[in-house]
Amino acid sequence: MTKEEIVVANFRGFAPQIPQNVMLLAVSKTVDEQIIKAVYDEGQRDFAENKVQDLVRKFENLPKDINWHFIGHLQTNKVKQIIPFVTLIHGVDSLRLLATIDKEAHKIDRVVDCLFEMHIATEESKFGLTTAALRDILESDEFAKLKNVRVCGLMGMATFTDETDMVIQEFALLKKYFDDVKKDFFADVNYFKELSMGMSGDYQLAIEAGSTIVRIGTTIFGERR
Ligand SMILES: *Cc1c(COP(=O)(O)O)cnc(C)c1O
């Protein structure tokens, strides 16, 4: 079998396991364009990258009806390059970054959808905001002035561990953050509805905990180079 055929077989076996109401986001970082195209030809439309340069190149070379998500750590000086076409920015972890996205989106008269990244992992290495920091942002005058970003929900990453109980607790915590923030800040809007959690190793636990978007790389595309 060719690499494309292997990936397509993986995808056909895996995609039906994701419930209809959960988005399967194919994490195509480091994956070659012809392999992404093979998965596109199976009907997949949502793909995610974690490097601006790769996202821009793949956007240019692949079909224009792909919804491109950004899942990495986004530097403010690179925001401008993805604003014209990005579907959803998953990892916003500061007001400064959100304000930069807003400024660049304003220049081209777009409203860009974003998720705040929350720190839920017991591991210290993971990024993300504390709930106190998120509340400070949402209560600020500066946030109230941003008209070209739309906060659609939260994103988070659990600890990379075999300890199922720990992962279950972390996802439950993120779901609680989501419910609390929705109630306190977004009760009147319908767009605050996304909870991006779950990767190849823990997506089933994430779906049980209320995920609306699972970000899957390895299970579809194989181990990364
Ligand atoms: C790479 C990555 C994923 C996908 O991870 P897999 O374990 O390969 O499914 C999901 N989310 C983020 C933020 C990533 O960087």
Side-chain angles (χ1 to χ4, degrees):
M1 289 213 281
T2 65
K3 180 81 211 269
E4 275 96 327
E5 286 167 343
I6 294 168
V7 168
V8 164
N10 284 346
F11 180 78
R12 285 184 185 166
F14 179 73
Q17 296 177 37
I18 305 302
Q20 291 292 330
N21 57 343
V22 176
M23 176 195 284
L24 169 54
L25 177 56
V27 176
S28 53
K29 61 190 187 196
T30 77
V31 176
D32 291 345
E33 286 163 5
Q34 76 268 18
I35 293 176
I36 299 174
K37 179 63 166 54
V39 173
Y40 170 90
D41 289 339
E42 293 295 303
Q44 176 69 22
R45 289 296 177 271
D46 287 272
F47 292 88
E49 294 285 328
N50 69 342
K51 293 207 169 73
V52 166
Q53 200 182 318
D54 294 343
L55 185 60
V56 170
R57 191 188 68 249
K58 289 173 179 178
F59 164 73
E60 282 167 0
N61 295 339
L62 285 160
K64 288 296 173 287
D65 61 341
I66 289 178
N67 304 315
W68 288 107
H69 298 239
F70 189 82
I71 58 168
H73 187 70
L74 184 55
Q75 290 169 266
T76 50
N77 63 347
K78 293 188 176 164
V79 167
K80 185 189 172 85
Q81 299 178 55
I82 67 172
I83 290 306
F85 66 90
V86 73
T87 292
L88 180 62
I89 299 174
H90 288 236
V92 177
D93 61 358
S94 71
L95 181 55
R96 179 166 165 264
L97 176 58
L98 195 68
T100 305
I101 296 167
D102 182 81
K103 189 179 86 188
E104 294 299 335
H106 179 74
K107 286 184 190 165
I108 60 164
D109 202 22
R110 255 200 100 186
V111 175
V112 171
D113 288 348
C114 297
L115 306 178
F116 278 114
E117 179 166 2
M118 304 303 296
H119 181 95
I120 52 164
T122 315
E123 269 173 335
E124 279 179 24
S125 59
K126 297 270 157 75
F127 297 104
L129 295 161
T130 63
T131 41
L134 178 60
R135 281 174 183 272
D136 282 349
I137 292 173
L138 296 174
E139 285 165 359
S140 70
D141 294 339
E142 191 183 356
F143 176 75
K145 289 184 194 133
L146 305 180
K147 299 291 179 240
N148 292 78
V149 285
R150 200 166 68 149
V151 177
C152 296
L154 305 181
M155 177 263 201
M157 279 205 258
T159 303
F160 187 71
T161 174
D162 291 337
E163 287 178 55
T164 306
D165 288 350
M166 185 185 283
V167 176
I168 289 172
Q169 276 181 32
E170 291 171 0
F171 285 149
L173 187 64
L174 184 55
K175 173 69 162 107
K176 180 176 165 20
Y177 290 168
F178 174 85
D179 291 339
D180 290 349
V181 166
K182 179 159 180 66
K183 176 166 73 64
D184 293 346
F185 297 95
F186 298 98
D188 303 334
V189 302
N190 56 12
Y191 56 78
F192 190 90
K193 61 181 172 50
E194 304 298 352
L195 189 48
S196 169
M197 62 182 188
M199 310 178 19
S200 292
D202 56 20
Y203 70 92
Q204 284 146 320
L205 299 176
I207 290 171
E208 280 167 34
S211 172
T212 67
I213 305 176
V214 289
R215 308 179 308 268
I216 308 295
T218 312
T219 301
I220 297 172
F221 297 108
E223 293 292 334
R224 279 181 289 277
R225 294 186 256 114

CSV table of all heavy atoms in Angstrom, one decimal, residues 25-29 48-50 70-73 90-91 117 155-157 160 196-203 214-224, ligand 1:
chain,number,residue,atom,x,y,z
A,25,LEU,N,-11.4,17.3,13.7
A,25,LEU,CA,-10.4,18.2,13.1
A,25,LEU,C,-9.2,17.4,12.9
A,25,LEU,O,-8.6,16.9,13.8
A,25,LEU,CB,-10.2,19.4,14.1
A,25,LEU,CG,-9.1,20.4,13.8
A,25,LEU,CD1,-9.4,21.0,12.4
A,25,LEU,CD2,-9.0,21.5,14.8
A,26,ALA,N,-8.8,17.3,11.6
A,26,ALA,CA,-7.6,16.5,11.2
A,26,ALA,C,-6.4,17.4,11.3
A,26,ALA,O,-6.2,18.4,10.7
A,26,ALA,CB,-7.8,16.1,9.7
A,27,VAL,N,-5.5,17.0,12.3
A,27,VAL,CA,-4.3,17.8,12.5
A,27,VAL,C,-3.2,17.3,11.5
A,27,VAL,O,-2.6,16.2,11.7
A,27,VAL,CB,-3.8,17.6,14.0
A,27,VAL,CG1,-2.5,18.3,14.2
A,27,VAL,CG2,-4.9,18.1,14.9
A,28,SER,N,-3.0,18.2,10.5
A,28,SER,CA,-2.1,17.8,9.4
A,28,SER,C,-0.7,18.3,9.5
A,28,SER,O,0.0,18.3,8.5
A,28,SER,CB,-2.8,18.2,8.1
A,28,SER,OG,-3.2,19.6,8.1
A,29,LYS,N,-0.3,18.8,10.6
A,29,LYS,CA,1.0,19.4,10.8
A,29,LYS,C,2.1,18.3,10.4
A,29,LYS,O,2.0,17.2,10.8
A,29,LYS,CB,1.3,19.9,12.2
A,29,LYS,CG,1.2,18.8,13.3
A,29,LYS,CD,1.2,19.4,14.7
A,29,LYS,CE,1.2,18.3,15.7
A,29,LYS,NZ,0.8,18.8,17.1
A,48,ALA,N,-5.9,21.2,10.6
A,48,ALA,CA,-5.3,22.2,11.5
A,48,ALA,C,-3.7,22.1,11.4
A,48,ALA,O,-3.2,21.0,11.2
A,48,ALA,CB,-5.7,21.8,13.0
A,49,GLU,N,-3.1,23.2,11.5
A,49,GLU,CA,-1.7,23.4,11.5
A,49,GLU,C,-1.2,24.1,12.7
A,49,GLU,O,-2.0,24.9,13.3
A,49,GLU,CB,-1.2,24.1,10.2
A,49,GLU,CG,-1.5,23.4,8.9
A,49,GLU,CD,-0.6,22.2,8.7
A,49,GLU,OE1,0.6,22.3,9.1
A,49,GLU,OE2,-1.0,21.2,8.1
A,50,ASN,N,0.1,24.0,13.1
A,50,ASN,CA,0.6,24.7,14.2
A,50,ASN,C,1.7,25.6,13.9
A,50,ASN,O,2.3,26.2,14.8
A,50,ASN,CB,1.0,23.7,15.4
A,50,ASN,CG,2.2,22.9,15.0
A,50,ASN,OD1,2.6,22.8,13.9
A,50,ASN,ND2,2.8,22.3,16.0
A,70,PHE,N,-5.9,27.1,13.2
A,70,PHE,CA,-4.6,27.2,13.7
A,70,PHE,C,-4.6,26.7,15.2
A,70,PHE,O,-5.4,27.2,16.0
A,70,PHE,CB,-4.1,28.7,13.7
A,70,PHE,CG,-2.6,28.8,14.1
A,70,PHE,CD1,-1.7,28.5,13.1
A,70,PHE,CD2,-2.3,29.1,15.3
A,70,PHE,CE1,-0.3,28.6,13.5
A,70,PHE,CE2,-0.9,29.2,15.7
A,70,PHE,CZ,0.1,28.9,14.7
A,71,ILE,N,-3.7,25.8,15.5
A,71,ILE,CA,-3.7,25.2,16.9
A,71,ILE,C,-2.4,25.4,17.6
A,71,ILE,O,-2.3,24.9,18.7
A,71,ILE,CB,-4.0,23.7,16.8
A,71,ILE,CG1,-2.9,22.9,16.0
A,71,ILE,CG2,-5.4,23.4,16.3
A,71,ILE,CD1,-2.9,21.4,16.1
A,72,GLY,N,-1.5,26.2,17.1
A,72,GLY,CA,-0.2,26.3,17.8
A,72,GLY,C,-0.1,27.5,18.6
A,72,GLY,O,-1.1,28.2,18.9
A,73,HIS,N,1.1,27.8,19.0
A,73,HIS,CA,1.4,29.0,19.7
A,73,HIS,C,1.6,30.1,18.7
A,73,HIS,O,2.5,30.1,17.9
A,73,HIS,CB,2.7,28.8,20.6
A,73,HIS,CG,2.9,29.9,21.5
A,73,HIS,ND1,2.1,30.2,22.6
A,73,HIS,CD2,3.9,30.9,21.5
A,73,HIS,CE1,2.6,31.2,23.2
A,73,HIS,NE2,3.6,31.7,22.6
A,90,HIS,N,-7.3,28.4,17.7
A,90,HIS,CA,-7.7,27.6,18.9
A,90,HIS,C,-6.9,28.1,20.2
A,90,HIS,O,-7.4,27.9,21.3
A,90,HIS,CB,-7.4,26.1,18.8
A,90,HIS,CG,-8.3,25.4,17.9
A,90,HIS,ND1,-9.0,24.3,18.2
A,90,HIS,CD2,-8.7,25.7,16.6
A,90,HIS,CE1,-9.8,23.9,17.2
A,90,HIS,NE2,-9.6,24.7,16.2
A,91,GLY,N,-5.7,28.6,20.0
A,91,GLY,CA,-4.9,28.8,21.2
A,91,GLY,C,-4.6,30.2,21.7
A,91,GLY,O,-3.5,30.5,22.1
A,117,GLU,N,-7.2,29.4,25.2
A,117,GLU,CA,-6.6,28.2,25.7
A,117,GLU,C,-6.5,28.2,27.2
A,117,GLU,O,-5.9,29.2,27.7
A,117,GLU,CB,-5.2,28.0,25.0
A,117,GLU,CG,-4.5,26.7,25.5
A,117,GLU,CD,-3.3,26.3,24.7
A,117,GLU,OE1,-3.0,27.0,23.8
A,117,GLU,OE2,-2.7,25.3,25.1
A,155,MET,N,-10.4,26.0,24.7
A,155,MET,CA,-9.5,24.9,24.2
A,155,MET,C,-8.6,24.5,25.4
A,155,MET,O,-8.2,25.3,26.2
A,155,MET,CB,-8.7,25.3,23.0
A,155,MET,CG,-7.8,24.4,22.4
A,155,MET,SD,-6.1,24.6,23.0
A,155,MET,CE,-5.2,23.8,21.7
A,156,GLY,N,-8.2,23.2,25.4
A,156,GLY,CA,-7.2,22.8,26.4
A,156,GLY,C,-6.6,21.4,26.1
A,156,GLY,O,-7.1,20.7,25.2
A,157,MET,N,-5.5,21.2,26.7
A,157,MET,CA,-4.8,19.9,26.6
A,157,MET,C,-4.6,19.3,27.9
A,157,MET,O,-4.1,19.9,28.8
A,157,MET,CB,-3.4,20.2,25.9
A,157,MET,CG,-3.5,20.3,24.4
A,157,MET,SD,-1.9,19.9,23.8
A,157,MET,CE,-1.2,21.5,23.5
A,160,PHE,N,-0.2,14.5,29.3
A,160,PHE,CA,0.2,13.3,28.5
A,160,PHE,C,0.5,12.2,29.5
A,160,PHE,O,1.6,12.1,30.0
A,160,PHE,CB,1.3,13.6,27.6
A,160,PHE,CG,1.6,12.6,26.6
A,160,PHE,CD1,0.7,12.3,25.5
A,160,PHE,CD2,2.8,11.8,26.7
A,160,PHE,CE1,1.0,11.3,24.6
A,160,PHE,CE2,3.1,10.8,25.8
A,160,PHE,CZ,2.2,10.5,24.7
A,196,SER,N,-12.8,22.7,22.5
A,196,SER,CA,-11.9,21.9,21.7
A,196,SER,C,-11.0,21.2,22.7
A,196,SER,O,-10.0,21.7,23.3
A,196,SER,CB,-11.0,23.0,20.9
A,196,SER,OG,-9.9,22.3,20.3
A,197,MET,N,-11.2,19.9,22.8
A,197,MET,CA,-10.4,19.0,23.7
A,197,MET,C,-10.4,17.6,23.2
A,197,MET,O,-11.5,17.1,22.7
A,197,MET,CB,-10.8,19.2,25.2
A,197,MET,CG,-12.2,18.7,25.6
A,197,MET,SD,-12.5,19.0,27.3
A,197,MET,CE,-14.1,18.2,27.6
A,198,GLY,N,-9.3,16.9,23.3
A,198,GLY,CA,-9.2,15.6,22.9
A,198,GLY,C,-8.2,15.4,21.7
A,198,GLY,O,-8.4,16.2,20.7
A,199,MET,N,-7.3,14.5,21.8
A,199,MET,CA,-6.3,14.2,20.8
A,199,MET,C,-6.3,12.7,20.6
A,199,MET,O,-7.1,12.0,21.1
A,199,MET,CB,-4.9,14.7,21.2
A,199,MET,CG,-5.0,16.2,21.7
A,199,MET,SD,-3.5,17.0,22.3
A,199,MET,CE,-2.1,16.1,21.7
A,200,SER,N,-5.3,12.2,19.8
A,200,SER,CA,-5.4,10.8,19.5
A,200,SER,C,-5.4,9.9,20.7
A,200,SER,O,-6.1,8.9,20.7
A,200,SER,CB,-4.1,10.4,18.6
A,200,SER,OG,-4.2,11.0,17.3
A,201,GLY,N,-4.7,10.3,21.7
A,201,GLY,CA,-4.6,9.4,22.9
A,201,GLY,C,-5.7,9.5,23.9
A,201,GLY,O,-5.9,8.6,24.8
A,202,ASP,N,-6.5,10.6,23.8
A,202,ASP,CA,-7.5,10.8,24.8
A,202,ASP,C,-8.9,11.3,24.3
A,202,ASP,O,-9.7,11.7,25.1
A,202,ASP,CB,-7.0,11.7,25.9
A,202,ASP,CG,-6.5,13.1,25.3
A,202,ASP,OD1,-6.9,13.4,24.2
A,202,ASP,OD2,-5.7,13.8,26.0
A,203,TYR,N,-9.1,11.2,23.0
A,203,TYR,CA,-10.3,11.8,22.5
A,203,TYR,C,-11.6,11.1,23.0
A,203,TYR,O,-12.6,11.8,23.1
A,203,TYR,CB,-10.3,11.7,20.9
A,203,TYR,CG,-10.5,10.3,20.3
A,203,TYR,CD1,-11.8,9.8,20.0
A,203,TYR,CD2,-9.4,9.5,20.2
A,203,TYR,CE1,-11.9,8.5,19.5
A,203,TYR,CE2,-9.5,8.2,19.7
A,203,TYR,CZ,-10.8,7.7,19.3
A,203,TYR,OH,-10.9,6.5,18.9
A,214,VAL,N,-12.6,17.5,18.4
A,214,VAL,CA,-11.4,16.7,18.7
A,214,VAL,C,-10.4,16.9,17.7
A,214,VAL,O,-10.7,17.0,16.5
A,214,VAL,CB,-11.7,15.2,18.9
A,214,VAL,CG1,-12.5,14.9,20.2
A,214,VAL,CG2,-12.5,14.6,17.7
A,215,ARG,N,-9.1,17.1,18.1
A,215,ARG,CA,-8.0,17.4,17.2
A,215,ARG,C,-7.1,16.2,17.1
A,215,ARG,O,-6.4,15.8,18.0
A,215,ARG,CB,-7.2,18.5,17.9
A,215,ARG,CG,-8.0,19.8,18.3
A,215,ARG,CD,-7.1,20.8,18.9
A,215,ARG,NE,-6.3,20.3,20.0
A,215,ARG,CZ,-6.6,20.3,21.3
A,215,ARG,NH1,-7.8,20.8,21.7
A,215,ARG,NH2,-5.8,19.8,22.2
A,216,ILE,N,-7.2,15.5,15.9
A,216,ILE,CA,-6.6,14.2,15.7
A,216,ILE,C,-5.6,14.2,14.6
A,216,ILE,O,-5.9,14.5,13.5
A,216,ILE,CB,-7.7,13.2,15.3
A,216,ILE,CG1,-8.9,13.2,16.3
A,216,ILE,CG2,-7.1,11.8,15.2
A,216,ILE,CD1,-8.6,12.7,17.7
A,217,GLY,N,-4.3,13.9,15.0
A,217,GLY,CA,-3.2,13.8,14.1
A,217,GLY,C,-2.8,12.4,13.9
A,217,GLY,O,-3.1,11.7,12.8
A,218,THR,N,-2.1,11.8,14.8
A,218,THR,CA,-1.4,10.5,14.7
A,218,THR,C,-2.4,9.4,14.3
A,218,THR,O,-2.0,8.6,13.4
A,218,THR,CB,-0.8,10.2,16.1
A,218,THR,OG1,0.0,11.3,16.5
A,218,THR,CG2,0.1,9.0,15.9
A,219,THR,N,-3.6,9.4,14.8
A,219,THR,CA,-4.5,8.3,14.5
A,219,THR,C,-4.9,8.2,13.0
A,219,THR,O,-5.1,7.2,12.5
A,219,THR,CB,-5.7,8.3,15.4
A,219,THR,OG1,-5.3,8.3,16.8
A,219,THR,CG2,-6.7,7.2,15.1
A,220,ILE,N,-4.9,9.4,12.4
A,220,ILE,CA,-5.2,9.4,11.0
A,220,ILE,C,-4.0,9.3,10.1
A,220,ILE,O,-3.9,8.5,9.2
A,220,ILE,CB,-5.9,10.8,10.6
A,220,ILE,CG1,-7.3,10.9,11.3
A,220,ILE,CG2,-6.1,10.9,9.1
A,220,ILE,CD1,-8.0,12.2,11.2
A,221,PHE,N,-3.0,10.1,10.4
A,221,PHE,CA,-1.8,10.3,9.5
A,221,PHE,C,-0.6,9.4,9.9
A,221,PHE,O,0.4,9.4,9.2
A,221,PHE,CB,-1.4,11.7,9.5
A,221,PHE,CG,-2.4,12.7,8.9
A,221,PHE,CD1,-3.1,13.5,9.8
A,221,PHE,CD2,-2.7,12.7,7.6
A,221,PHE,CE1,-4.1,14.4,9.3
A,221,PHE,CE2,-3.7,13.5,7.1
A,221,PHE,CZ,-4.4,14.4,7.9
A,222,GLY,N,-0.6,8.7,11.1
A,222,GLY,CA,0.5,8.0,11.5
A,222,GLY,C,1.5,8.8,12.4
A,222,GLY,O,1.2,10.1,12.5
A,223,GLU,N,2.5,8.2,12.9
A,223,GLU,CA,3.5,9.0,13.7
A,223,GLU,C,4.1,10.1,12.9
A,223,GLU,O,4.4,9.9,11.7
A,223,GLU,CB,4.6,8.0,14.2
A,223,GLU,CG,4.1,7.0,15.2
A,223,GLU,CD,3.7,7.6,16.5
A,223,GLU,OE1,4.2,8.7,16.9
A,223,GLU,OE2,2.9,7.0,17.2
A,224,ARG,N,4.3,11.2,13.5
A,224,ARG,CA,4.9,12.4,12.8
A,224,ARG,C,6.4,12.2,12.6
A,224,ARG,O,7.1,11.6,13.4
A,224,ARG,CB,4.6,13.7,13.5
A,224,ARG,CG,3.3,14.2,13.2
A,224,ARG,CD,3.0,15.5,13.9
A,224,ARG,NE,2.9,15.3,15.4
A,224,ARG,CZ,1.8,15.0,16.0
A,224,ARG,NH1,0.7,14.7,15.3
A,224,ARG,NH2,1.7,14.8,17.3
B,1,LIG,C1,-0.3,17.9,17.4
B,1,LIG,C2,-1.5,18.4,18.1
B,1,LIG,C3,-2.6,17.6,18.2
B,1,LIG,C4,-2.8,16.2,17.6
B,1,LIG,O1,-2.1,15.3,18.3
B,1,LIG,P1,-2.1,13.7,18.0
B,1,LIG,O2,-1.7,13.1,19.3
B,1,LIG,O3,-1.2,13.4,16.9
B,1,LIG,O4,-3.5,13.4,17.7
B,1,LIG,C5,-3.7,18.2,18.8
B,1,LIG,N1,-3.7,19.4,19.4
B,1,LIG,C6,-2.6,20.1,19.4
B,1,LIG,C7,-2.6,21.5,20.0
B,1,LIG,C8,-1.4,19.7,18.7
B,1,LIG,O5,-0.3,20.4,18.7
